[in-house]
Amino acid sequence: MSSESTQSDQRPRHRAIVAGHGEFAAGLVSAVEQITGLGSQLIPVAVHKLGVADIEALLRERMIAEDVRVIFTDLQAGSCTMASRRILRGMDDAVLIAGANLPTLLDFLFAEGMSAPQAARHAAERGRAAIAVHGAGA
Amino acid sequence: MTLVLYRIDDRLIHGQVVVGWGQPLDIGFIVLVDDTVAAEEWEQELYRMGVPPEMDVYFHSSADAVNHLAKYRSDPRAGILLTGDIATMRRLVDAKGIAAVNVGGIHSASGRVQRLRYVFLTPAEERELRDLAARGVSVTAQDVPGARPVSLDDLLAGNEP
C-alpha cells in the first residue's frame, strides 16, 4: 500500500449499479459476495414503490454520488431499464446492460485492463454464452 | 379477440405488462394512451424496444385514442390498453364505454397515501376512481394475473388480500 494512502482509500470502490424487479439486485449481489467477496463493489437498488420518474431520479442520483457509469438491469421491458435508458440519453460515458445474470456480474468484476464500459460489454457476452440447457435430449 | 384489459399503470409498458399479463393472455398488441409519449418519437422507440418483436405497440394521445378504439376492439388479436393515470382512462370511459378497468400500478408520489402495495392515491384520485365506478365501470386492483383482484371498496380501505 502506498504511504500516501488514506483511510478513504480503504473503502470498497463501487463499480456498477444493479437494479431490477423485487429483490433481484440484492439477491444477485448476495450471490456475488458469496462467490467472490466482491459484492461490495456493486450497488443493489430496489424500486418497489416508485414511479418511473422517481426510479430515474434514484438511479441518476446514485450514479452521480458514487461516480458509477455502469448499470445492470434484469429485463429489457423493465422499469429500471426504461429509466436507465433515459439517463443514458444525457450521459455519454455510461453503459446499460439489460438482461444481466450472475455470470455477467462475475465476469465484469474480474475484468482487468478494461474501462468500465468495455468490461460491461465483455461481461454481457460472457453472460449470454453462460446460458445452457441440459438434459431431456437437449 | 379484442382489447382484453384496460389498465391504469404509471409505469406504462414494463415487465408486469409485457410478461406478467402479456404471456398468459397471448397479447398481440398494446395500445399506449399517453399525451407525452404520443408527442415524442424517442419515448415511443424506448417503449417499442421493451416488447418482443411479435408484439405491436400503438401510441395515441388521449384525444386521438377515442377515434381508434373501435378498430382495436375488432382486432383479431388480444390487446391491452394502457394509461398512465386515472384521468386519461376516465376520458376514454366517457367517450367509449368501457366495462372494466384494472388498476395495475400507481406508485408513491407527493400527496399520495398508500392503499395497496402497488397503489398510492391522492384524495382527488380516490374521487376519480369512485367516479368511474359510479359510471357503471367495474374497478378492481390487480398487479399480476396470479393475484386476487381487489374490489374498489377494499382498495380504498387499504385491505390487501
Side-chain angles (χ1 to χ4, degrees), chain A residues 43-65:
Chain A
I43 305 169
V45 175
V47 298
H48 302 289
K49 297 179 179 178
L50 303 181
V52 173
D54 288 332
I55 295 171
E56 180 180 341
L58 173 63
L59 292 174
R60 188 187 302 277
E61 183 271 326
R62 297 303 302 271
M63 290 178 76
I64 293 171

Side-chain angles (χ1 to χ4, degrees), chain A residues 47 49-50 77 79 85-86, chain B residues 11 14 43 46-47 50 108:
Chain A
V47 298
K49 297 179 179 178
L50 303 181
S79 301
R85 290 196 63 217
R86 289 193 174 92
Chain B
R11 293 184 178 182
H14 64 116
E43 285 287 324
L46 177 65
Y47 286 109
S108 179

Side-chain angles (χ1 to χ4, degrees), chain B residues 20-44:
Chain B
W21 290 91
Q23 295 209 349
L25 295 180
D26 194 23
I27 292 300
F29 68 100
I30 293 172
V31 182
L32 197 164
V33 183
D34 184 277
D35 289 349
T36 301
V37 177
E40 294 189 28
E41 183 60 38
W42 189 89
E43 285 287 324
Q44 294 175 24

Side-chain angles (χ1 to χ4, degrees), chain A residues 124-135:
Chain A
E125 293 304 319
R126 184 60 59 90
R128 187 179 290 123
I131 298 171
V133 180
H134 302 280

